[in-house]
Amino acid sequence: MMTQRTQTSSCTLRYKQRFVTSCRPLVTLSSAAPGKTTLGFVGMGILGVPMTLNLLKAGYEVVVYNRNIQKTDPVVAAGAQVATTPRECAQRAQYIFATLSDPQAAISVANGPDGIASGISAGKGYIDISTVDAETSNIIATAIKSTGASFLEAPVSGSKAPAEQGKLIFLTAGDEELFKAVEGPLDVMGKAKYYLGGVGSGANMKLVVNMLNGSMMAALAEAMALADKSGLSQADLLEVLSLGAMANPMFALKGPAVVERSYPPAFPLKHQQKDLRLALALGDSLGQPLPVAAAANEAYKMAKAKGQANSDMAAVYEATQH
Amino acid sequence: MSGEKISVGFLGLGIMGEACARNLLKSGLFSAVHVWNRSPDKASALVSEGALLGSSPADVVSKCSITFAMLGDPDAALQVVFGENGVLQAISAGKGYIDMSTVDEQTSQRIHAAITSKGGRFLEAPVSGSKKPAIDGQLIILAAGDESLYKEAEPAFTKMGKKWMHLGETGAGARMKLVVNMAMGTMLNALSEAMALSDKAGLKQQDVLDVMGIGALASPLVAMKGPAMMSKNYAPAFPLKHQQKDMRLALALGDQLGQSLPVAAAANEQFKVARARGHGDEDIAAVYEATKP
């Protein structure tokens, strides 16, 4: 399913933005296709590896980069090639995807020394799948577009399992031409893709969704804690929740982890907390109070303080334990 | 296997009670369904469908093997039992009383003690689900207390619910209901804040609901209350003031047990804001109004 948002020119904005994308004549970008297009992929983490594997399986040539080269082993075994810098990745590939863990890493890869911007050029595109704030995304967009290349912010909804199954949801914004050109790879990696408008819209949508995700998990954690403290079976609670209006796939997945108090990371808690922090900052900048998300953020901070930063976000349950 | 039909009673004919009583009446499983409501005009529809109107809770209990109750709050639940011509006047050995109201545990225990002291059997059985599930007989029944009464009530549960569970001794059902409703209240506020932030950020709220609808957070709650918030349609399926009452009771339970619940507490404050602004009788979706200045 695709939501189309048409821009009348690359200079106009339909959504509230603080930055203007640079006004360059649009280059016609060729549609990515297996056997025809070389893709790049930066960031061989929880999402990057399965996404790259799916692209390789679909028949694309993929050149990857990761700061710690050992993390590239699984994709190299499946046929990927390795670049020694993001710059080299951008030189060797036409469309480069990136999944970095936070705004700092995203800017470093895009704009830093030997970064994407130093190797990319007109006729190419950079698709940043990292979850960042709109300001960071605009900084990256400006640097990329100043080279003549196109830019698409494309954070995803979904974590490890959807990435493996090719069922991610892309929340894109930026150059619509680039969105159209990479439809093929996006459809390999995901089950749905949205084009939401000017740079920042995708970032903001992702933050809204992840804020909801964080608050919902915090709600479940408190319910599980109260159930346990009051002598109820947590498994009974999960069953009741699964039968009613609140039933959702996230609870079905995370609930048992809480019962076991075992949290192998599908979505690391530190990233969930980063997203809440960014969402609260967005609310702050727009004058929107968010007291429940703020309280949830504190719970994630407490869980981090208890050593759960690298555990799955379900470990926010540990913040309820005194 | 006994083919004898028993007669059942139903006290409290509000949004939930009327729907449940109607399902019992339509089932044909019982020899009679006796009903009572504080304002008798609420009973007229059911009476026209074949229910028998009792003059008081005691009147109903005296004529029934099992009497169900569904009142709006702890005060009403206690009044029906302990008040003049209340349940206690007529309860006797063998008779069963099943209270499906959502109350705090102390209220439930008081009723339990009073009923059993007169030789009666008691089951607490609060439900999860609101108006439509009640009408459709799709409630989730969270029972606790007398096991023999639970078994005898099962035919009735099949008509009112899609799932019924026996959770332990009296108190367990009340606690489970409060935990579940606390989760719902917090989740509703999470949705409300997501809708508010997306609007402020210039995103289309329909896009937000579409994205949520296909992802890991998709739930009937989001599917029902998201559009309600978007269009400000707050016709009550579950009145906000009752949801806030449940949050208050859940927080009190946490307090009693030494369980800190900061996120639920923040959610409760938002319900209080919505009530202060006059949205108490509207649907819980109206908590969205608390996100506005």
Side-chain angles (χ1 to χ4, degrees), chain A residues 82-223:
Chain A
V82 177
T84 55
T85 60
R87 174 189 184 149
E88 187 190 329
C89 206
Q91 286 166 338
R92 290 168 64 180
Q94 183 180 4
Y95 300 120
I96 306 100
F97 298 89
T99 48
L100 288 326
S101 54
D102 56 51
Q104 214 175 352
I107 287 184
S108 171
V109 160
N111 304 5
D114 289 326
I116 297 288
S118 63
I120 207 169
S121 51
K124 297 191 174 200
Y126 184 54
I127 303 102
D128 196 344
I129 297 172
S130 319
T131 296
V132 300
D133 56 294
E135 181 171 348
T136 297
S137 199
N138 271 290
I139 290 170
I140 296 170
T142 302
I144 297 296
K145 290 173 77 63
S146 69
T147 72
S150 301
F151 175 75
L152 193 69
E153 82 184 355
V156 288
S157 181
S159 61
K160 189 175 182 187
E164 289 164 348
Q165 295 154 20
K167 293 196 171 159
L168 296 167
I169 302 164
F170 288 92
L171 309 169
T172 79
D175 290 337
E176 196 171 2
E177 264 58 38
L178 180 54
F179 173 71
K180 291 195 173 107
V182 296
E183 267 183 32
L186 292 183
D187 287 343
V188 164
M189 297 184 286
K191 67 176 180 181
K193 52 191 189 294
Y194 292 81
Y195 178 76
L196 297 164
V199 170
S201 305
N204 287 344
M205 176 67 85
K206 176 64 198 287
L207 291 183
V208 166
V209 171
N210 268 29
M211 178 181 80
L212 182 69
N213 198 54
S215 294
M216 295 279 214
M217 183 66 224
L220 178 64
E222 287 192 344

Side-chain angles (χ1 to χ4, degrees), chain B residues 124-196:
Chain B
E124 79 183 349
V127 300
S128 186
S130 62
K131 187 176 181 179
K132 186 166 192 308
I135 292 171
D136 297 341
Q138 294 290 299
L139 295 168
I140 303 160
I141 302 169
L142 309 169
D146 193 288
E147 282 200 66
S148 68
L149 179 56
Y150 176 78
K151 291 200 172 75
E152 281 173 33
E154 279 198 80
F157 289 156
T158 66
K159 296 300 166 189
M160 295 187 285
K162 65 176 174 180
K163 176 82 182 181
W164 44 99
M165 300 164 71
H166 188 268
L167 297 166
E169 290 179 18
T170 296
R175 293 195 298 274
M176 179 63 86
K177 177 64 198 288
L178 290 184
V179 170
V180 167
N181 270 26
M182 180 182 84
M184 183 162 73
T186 307
M187 287 172 71
L188 198 64
N189 274 278
L191 174 63
S192 173
E193 290 188 347
M195 295 293 276

